[in-house]
Amino acid sequence: MQLKKAVDSAYQLFIENDVPSPRLNAELLIMFVLGRERAYLYAHPERELTPDEQTRYDEVIRERARGCPTQYITGHQEFWGLDLLVSPAVLIPRPETEHVVETVLELAKEYPFAGPGRLRMVDVGTGSGCIALALASELPHAEIHACDISDEALEIARINAARLALGGNVLFRKSDLLTVYDGEEFDFVISNPPYVGEADADKVQKQVREFEPKIAVFSGGEGRDIYRKLIPQARTALRPGGWFVAEMGYSEEEQVRNLLSGWADIQVTPDLQGIPRVVAARNPQQIG
């Protein structure tokens, strides 16, 4: 079958199965199978696929049609300009999570650092390592820690750090939230925690509900169990004047603000759709 006809056929299959962005997915998967860039597709629409290429393409489009995310099929996802390996052991990094990185970088510019040694940050529930590695790429002199309760996720994160030559910039540890860091102090506690309520499971996309790790998506009946545990831990772990920065769900702002009662300088950053996406709050204890 010719390349263009194969892509058109995949496009139709994806439409029939309600796959989001059907044309984009059809093209990304043929690019994956052929090991080519998008420009190649448009330059060689009549190129005949070999039997092996056709078989492989048929396999991956069937996987995508049943809901498996393209990123899990190709094993890659870009975040903050970094090529990250992903697997079903980790949440797929989303563009909106880049607002967490942006918020931390902006706050770090004005941060009145007064602690000993380097600026210390910890990314809680690091998953693929996307936030920690993005920050490491921008703040090479910071001491960045990253933790996760999942051994499989930590393995992916460590591989990503090594691939990106950032393995010496981030320290990975297994931990249930901040438990392993008891007694340590940080200038920033950062997280993209699970924030979907189990009661809302039917409202999320099929690929999220059925293929991404539930531990990284769902957080109790209402979606706030992790916030309730992490926010008090962050308050204890932060140095005076330190910042807690976290992603939150589209309808979580009021509830998260309530959980941050007693914190200082609470600020919320919307994503590109205008949805409140990132909350930042400062440890009210004064420096010095």
Side-chain angles (χ1 to χ4, degrees), residues 239-267:
R239 287 172 173 158
W243 285 94
F244 172 69
V245 182
E247 184 169 327
M248 59 184 177
Y250 73 95
S251 61
E252 296 290 316
E253 180 179 358
E254 181 180 354
Q255 293 87 345
V256 174
R257 280 183 179 273
N258 290 338
L259 292 173
L260 289 165
S261 176
W263 289 68
D265 301 331
I266 299 173
Q267 53 187 266

mmCIF file of all heavy atoms in Angstrom, residues 239-267:
data_model
loop_
_atom_site.group_PDB
_atom_site.id
_atom_site.type_symbol
_atom_site.label_atom_id
_atom_site.label_comp_id
_atom_site.label_asym_id
_atom_site.label_seq_id
_atom_site.Cartn_x
_atom_site.Cartn_y
_atom_site.Cartn_z
ATOM 1 N N ARG A 239 12.109 25.562 54.015
ATOM 2 C CA ARG A 239 12.812 26.573 54.794
ATOM 3 C C ARG A 239 11.910 27.800 54.941
ATOM 4 O O ARG A 239 10.963 27.983 54.164
ATOM 5 C CB ARG A 239 14.112 26.971 54.089
ATOM 6 C CG ARG A 239 15.194 25.900 54.168
ATOM 7 C CD ARG A 239 16.376 26.242 53.298
ATOM 8 N NE ARG A 239 17.475 25.303 53.517
ATOM 9 C CZ ARG A 239 18.452 25.069 52.656
ATOM 10 N NH1 ARG A 239 18.468 25.710 51.492
ATOM 11 N NH2 ARG A 239 19.410 24.212 52.948
ATOM 12 N N PRO A 240 12.185 28.664 55.888
ATOM 13 C CA PRO A 240 11.413 29.912 55.998
ATOM 14 C C PRO A 240 11.420 30.670 54.676
ATOM 15 O O PRO A 240 12.479 30.887 54.081
ATOM 16 C CB PRO A 240 12.168 30.681 57.090
ATOM 17 C CG PRO A 240 12.804 29.619 57.926
ATOM 18 C CD PRO A 240 13.199 28.538 56.950
ATOM 19 N N GLY A 241 10.247 31.026 54.192
ATOM 20 C CA GLY A 241 10.137 31.739 52.926
ATOM 21 C C GLY A 241 10.169 30.849 51.705
ATOM 22 O O GLY A 241 10.067 31.340 50.573
ATOM 23 N N GLY A 242 10.283 29.528 51.889
ATOM 24 C CA GLY A 242 10.320 28.600 50.765
ATOM 25 C C GLY A 242 8.964 28.446 50.105
ATOM 26 O O GLY A 242 7.920 28.794 50.674
ATOM 27 N N TRP A 243 8.963 27.903 48.891
ATOM 28 C CA TRP A 243 7.745 27.843 48.070
ATOM 29 C C TRP A 243 7.275 26.405 47.826
ATOM 30 O O TRP A 243 8.078 25.510 47.536
ATOM 31 C CB TRP A 243 7.985 28.496 46.713
ATOM 32 C CG TRP A 243 8.031 29.983 46.755
ATOM 33 C CD1 TRP A 243 9.142 30.777 46.884
ATOM 34 C CD2 TRP A 243 6.911 30.876 46.661
ATOM 35 N NE1 TRP A 243 8.791 32.096 46.880
ATOM 36 C CE2 TRP A 243 7.424 32.199 46.735
ATOM 37 C CE3 TRP A 243 5.539 30.702 46.512
ATOM 38 C CZ2 TRP A 243 6.611 33.323 46.679
ATOM 39 C CZ3 TRP A 243 4.723 31.821 46.447
ATOM 40 C CH2 TRP A 243 5.255 33.110 46.533
ATOM 41 N N PHE A 244 5.972 26.244 47.911
ATOM 42 C CA PHE A 244 5.284 25.026 47.471
ATOM 43 C C PHE A 244 4.624 25.343 46.137
ATOM 44 O O PHE A 244 3.871 26.316 46.021
ATOM 45 C CB PHE A 244 4.236 24.623 48.503
ATOM 46 C CG PHE A 244 3.329 23.496 48.063
ATOM 47 C CD1 PHE A 244 3.823 22.203 47.917
ATOM 48 C CD2 PHE A 244 1.978 23.718 47.800
ATOM 49 C CE1 PHE A 244 2.988 21.164 47.525
ATOM 50 C CE2 PHE A 244 1.140 22.691 47.407
ATOM 51 C CZ PHE A 244 1.653 21.404 47.273
ATOM 52 N N VAL A 245 4.918 24.544 45.109
ATOM 53 C CA VAL A 245 4.366 24.769 43.763
ATOM 54 C C VAL A 245 3.776 23.454 43.270
ATOM 55 O O VAL A 245 4.470 22.431 43.251
ATOM 56 C CB VAL A 245 5.443 25.263 42.774
ATOM 57 C CG1 VAL A 245 4.822 25.520 41.405
ATOM 58 C CG2 VAL A 245 6.129 26.529 43.304
ATOM 59 N N ALA A 246 2.507 23.466 42.864
ATOM 60 C CA ALA A 246 1.863 22.224 42.441
ATOM 61 C C ALA A 246 0.863 22.469 41.323
ATOM 62 O O ALA A 246 0.243 23.536 41.238
ATOM 63 C CB ALA A 246 1.162 21.556 43.618
ATOM 64 N N GLU A 247 0.707 21.459 40.498
ATOM 65 C CA GLU A 247 -0.346 21.486 39.485
ATOM 66 C C GLU A 247 -1.660 21.094 40.152
ATOM 67 O O GLU A 247 -1.683 20.370 41.158
ATOM 68 C CB GLU A 247 -0.012 20.517 38.351
ATOM 69 C CG GLU A 247 -1.008 20.564 37.201
ATOM 70 C CD GLU A 247 -0.539 19.796 35.968
ATOM 71 O OE1 GLU A 247 0.675 19.752 35.711
ATOM 72 O OE2 GLU A 247 -1.406 19.243 35.270
ATOM 73 N N MET A 248 -2.766 21.561 39.568
ATOM 74 C CA MET A 248 -4.072 21.184 40.106
ATOM 75 C C MET A 248 -5.073 21.012 38.978
ATOM 76 O O MET A 248 -4.846 21.459 37.848
ATOM 77 C CB MET A 248 -4.563 22.228 41.111
ATOM 78 C CG MET A 248 -4.713 23.628 40.576
ATOM 79 S SD MET A 248 -5.196 24.781 41.900
ATOM 80 C CE MET A 248 -5.181 26.315 40.972
ATOM 81 N N GLY A 249 -6.175 20.363 39.296
ATOM 82 C CA GLY A 249 -7.213 20.084 38.317
ATOM 83 C C GLY A 249 -8.026 21.314 37.970
ATOM 84 O O GLY A 249 -7.974 22.342 38.652
ATOM 85 N N TYR A 250 -8.837 21.189 36.920
ATOM 86 C CA TYR A 250 -9.548 22.343 36.360
ATOM 87 C C TYR A 250 -10.558 22.957 37.319
ATOM 88 O O TYR A 250 -10.914 24.126 37.190
ATOM 89 C CB TYR A 250 -10.244 21.946 35.057
ATOM 90 C CG TYR A 250 -11.463 21.067 35.236
ATOM 91 C CD1 TYR A 250 -12.730 21.613 35.295
ATOM 92 C CD2 TYR A 250 -11.336 19.685 35.341
ATOM 93 C CE1 TYR A 250 -13.851 20.824 35.471
ATOM 94 C CE2 TYR A 250 -12.451 18.884 35.520
ATOM 95 C CZ TYR A 250 -13.700 19.454 35.571
ATOM 96 O OH TYR A 250 -14.797 18.659 35.758
ATOM 97 N N SER A 251 -11.025 22.217 38.306
ATOM 98 C CA SER A 251 -12.047 22.749 39.219
ATOM 99 C C SER A 251 -11.580 22.727 40.671
ATOM 100 O O SER A 251 -12.389 22.766 41.595
ATOM 101 C CB SER A 251 -13.335 21.934 39.088
ATOM 102 O OG SER A 251 -13.095 20.576 39.442
ATOM 103 N N GLU A 252 -10.265 22.700 40.869
ATOM 104 C CA GLU A 252 -9.724 22.479 42.204
ATOM 105 C C GLU A 252 -9.290 23.745 42.936
ATOM 106 O O GLU A 252 -8.901 23.683 44.103
ATOM 107 C CB GLU A 252 -8.514 21.532 42.118
ATOM 108 C CG GLU A 252 -8.835 20.131 41.635
ATOM 109 C CD GLU A 252 -9.631 19.360 42.674
ATOM 110 O OE1 GLU A 252 -9.288 19.431 43.853
ATOM 111 O OE2 GLU A 252 -10.604 18.692 42.276
ATOM 112 N N GLU A 253 -9.318 24.898 42.277
ATOM 113 C CA GLU A 253 -8.681 26.079 42.870
ATOM 114 C C GLU A 253 -9.196 26.396 44.274
ATOM 115 O O GLU A 253 -8.415 26.577 45.219
ATOM 116 C CB GLU A 253 -8.858 27.303 41.968
ATOM 117 C CG GLU A 253 -8.201 28.542 42.562
ATOM 118 C CD GLU A 253 -8.335 29.780 41.676
ATOM 119 O OE1 GLU A 253 -8.918 29.676 40.569
ATOM 120 O OE2 GLU A 253 -7.847 30.843 42.105
ATOM 121 N N GLU A 254 -10.502 26.499 44.441
ATOM 122 C CA GLU A 254 -11.047 26.885 45.741
ATOM 123 C C GLU A 254 -10.672 25.882 46.825
ATOM 124 O O GLU A 254 -10.262 26.260 47.934
ATOM 125 C CB GLU A 254 -12.569 27.008 45.651
ATOM 126 C CG GLU A 254 -13.219 27.429 46.972
ATOM 127 C CD GLU A 254 -14.730 27.555 46.870
ATOM 128 O OE1 GLU A 254 -15.274 27.421 45.748
ATOM 129 O OE2 GLU A 254 -15.377 27.770 47.921
ATOM 130 N N GLN A 255 -10.789 24.587 46.496
ATOM 131 C CA GLN A 255 -10.498 23.565 47.490
ATOM 132 C C GLN A 255 -9.012 23.555 47.874
ATOM 133 O O GLN A 255 -8.662 23.384 49.052
ATOM 134 C CB GLN A 255 -10.904 22.188 46.957
ATOM 135 C CG GLN A 255 -12.404 22.012 46.777
ATOM 136 C CD GLN A 255 -12.899 22.495 45.426
ATOM 137 O OE1 GLN A 255 -12.195 23.212 44.711
ATOM 138 N NE2 GLN A 255 -14.107 22.080 45.058
ATOM 139 N N VAL A 256 -8.130 23.735 46.888
ATOM 140 C CA VAL A 256 -6.697 23.744 47.185
ATOM 141 C C VAL A 256 -6.324 24.991 47.982
ATOM 142 O O VAL A 256 -5.519 24.937 48.915
ATOM 143 C CB VAL A 256 -5.868 23.646 45.889
ATOM 144 C CG1 VAL A 256 -4.375 23.805 46.185
ATOM 145 C CG2 VAL A 256 -6.107 22.296 45.205
ATOM 146 N N ARG A 257 -6.916 26.115 47.653
ATOM 147 C CA ARG A 257 -6.677 27.336 48.436
ATOM 148 C C ARG A 257 -7.080 27.119 49.897
ATOM 149 O O ARG A 257 -6.379 27.569 50.822
ATOM 150 C CB ARG A 257 -7.465 28.511 47.855
ATOM 151 C CG ARG A 257 -6.825 29.169 46.641
ATOM 152 C CD ARG A 257 -7.646 30.363 46.201
ATOM 153 N NE ARG A 257 -7.077 31.064 45.063
ATOM 154 C CZ ARG A 257 -6.173 32.035 45.150
ATOM 155 N NH1 ARG A 257 -5.728 32.413 46.350
ATOM 156 N NH2 ARG A 257 -5.713 32.633 44.060
ATOM 157 N N ASN A 258 -8.190 26.429 50.111
ATOM 158 C CA ASN A 258 -8.621 26.157 51.484
ATOM 159 C C ASN A 258 -7.609 25.295 52.222
ATOM 160 O O ASN A 258 -7.347 25.506 53.420
ATOM 161 C CB ASN A 258 -9.988 25.465 51.481
ATOM 162 C CG ASN A 258 -11.115 26.387 51.056
ATOM 163 O OD1 ASN A 258 -10.994 27.602 51.135
ATOM 164 N ND2 ASN A 258 -12.209 25.809 50.574
ATOM 165 N N LEU A 259 -7.026 24.325 51.519
ATOM 166 C CA LEU A 259 -6.020 23.467 52.144
ATOM 167 C C LEU A 259 -4.734 24.231 52.453
ATOM 168 O O LEU A 259 -3.945 23.805 53.297
ATOM 169 C CB LEU A 259 -5.709 22.274 51.229
ATOM 170 C CG LEU A 259 -6.839 21.257 51.041
ATOM 171 C CD1 LEU A 259 -6.460 20.229 49.979
ATOM 172 C CD2 LEU A 259 -7.156 20.557 52.349
ATOM 173 N N LEU A 260 -4.531 25.350 51.769
ATOM 174 C CA LEU A 260 -3.339 26.176 51.980
ATOM 175 C C LEU A 260 -3.605 27.316 52.965
ATOM 176 O O LEU A 260 -2.823 28.268 53.038
ATOM 177 C CB LEU A 260 -2.848 26.741 50.646
ATOM 178 C CG LEU A 260 -2.208 25.726 49.693
ATOM 179 C CD1 LEU A 260 -2.097 26.306 48.291
ATOM 180 C CD2 LEU A 260 -0.833 25.305 50.214
ATOM 181 N N SER A 261 -4.659 27.220 53.716
ATOM 182 C CA SER A 261 -4.965 28.235 54.719
ATOM 183 C C SER A 261 -3.787 28.383 55.676
ATOM 184 O O SER A 261 -3.249 27.394 56.194
ATOM 185 C CB SER A 261 -6.218 27.834 55.505
ATOM 186 O OG SER A 261 -6.483 28.755 56.531
ATOM 187 N N GLY A 262 -3.364 29.624 55.893
ATOM 188 C CA GLY A 262 -2.219 29.871 56.766
ATOM 189 C C GLY A 262 -0.919 30.075 56.021
ATOM 190 O O GLY A 262 0.061 30.550 56.603
ATOM 191 N N TRP A 263 -0.895 29.727 54.733
ATOM 192 C CA TRP A 263 0.283 29.983 53.917
ATOM 193 C C TRP A 263 0.255 31.444 53.450
ATOM 194 O O TRP A 263 -0.770 32.110 53.526
ATOM 195 C CB TRP A 263 0.312 29.052 52.700
ATOM 196 C CG TRP A 263 0.609 27.622 53.028
ATOM 197 C CD1 TRP A 263 -0.192 26.755 53.721
ATOM 198 C CD2 TRP A 263 1.774 26.882 52.655
ATOM 199 N NE1 TRP A 263 0.398 25.514 53.800
ATOM 200 C CE2 TRP A 263 1.604 25.559 53.155
ATOM 201 C CE3 TRP A 263 2.931 27.181 51.945
ATOM 202 C CZ2 TRP A 263 2.562 24.561 52.966
ATOM 203 C CZ3 TRP A 263 3.881 26.189 51.752
ATOM 204 C CH2 TRP A 263 3.695 24.907 52.268
ATOM 205 N N ALA A 264 1.371 31.908 52.920
ATOM 206 C CA ALA A 264 1.475 33.298 52.469
ATOM 207 C C ALA A 264 1.578 33.373 50.950
ATOM 208 O O ALA A 264 1.992 32.413 50.294
ATOM 209 C CB ALA A 264 2.695 33.966 53.099
ATOM 210 N N ASP A 265 1.199 34.516 50.404
ATOM 211 C CA ASP A 265 1.430 34.849 48.990
ATOM 212 C C ASP A 265 0.914 33.776 48.037
ATOM 213 O O ASP A 265 1.582 33.403 47.071
ATOM 214 C CB ASP A 265 2.923 35.088 48.724
ATOM 215 C CG ASP A 265 3.487 36.218 49.568
ATOM 216 O OD1 ASP A 265 2.713 37.140 49.902
ATOM 217 O OD2 ASP A 265 4.675 36.166 49.910
ATOM 218 N N ILE A 266 -0.285 33.270 48.292
ATOM 219 C CA ILE A 266 -0.850 32.246 47.409
ATOM 220 C C ILE A 266 -1.136 32.866 46.042
ATOM 221 O O ILE A 266 -1.761 33.920 45.943
ATOM 222 C CB ILE A 266 -2.137 31.650 48.007
ATOM 223 C CG1 ILE A 266 -1.838 30.976 49.348
ATOM 224 C CG2 ILE A 266 -2.770 30.652 47.035
ATOM 225 C CD1 ILE A 266 -3.077 30.507 50.089
ATOM 226 N N GLN A 267 -0.663 32.211 45.010
ATOM 227 C CA GLN A 267 -0.906 32.696 43.653
ATOM 228 C C GLN A 267 -1.247 31.533 42.736
ATOM 229 O O GLN A 267 -0.760 30.416 42.918
ATOM 230 C CB GLN A 267 0.317 33.456 43.127
ATOM 231 C CG GLN A 267 1.631 32.714 43.216
ATOM 232 C CD GLN A 267 2.804 33.596 42.837
ATOM 233 O OE1 GLN A 267 3.241 33.611 41.684
ATOM 234 N NE2 GLN A 267 3.330 34.314 43.812
#
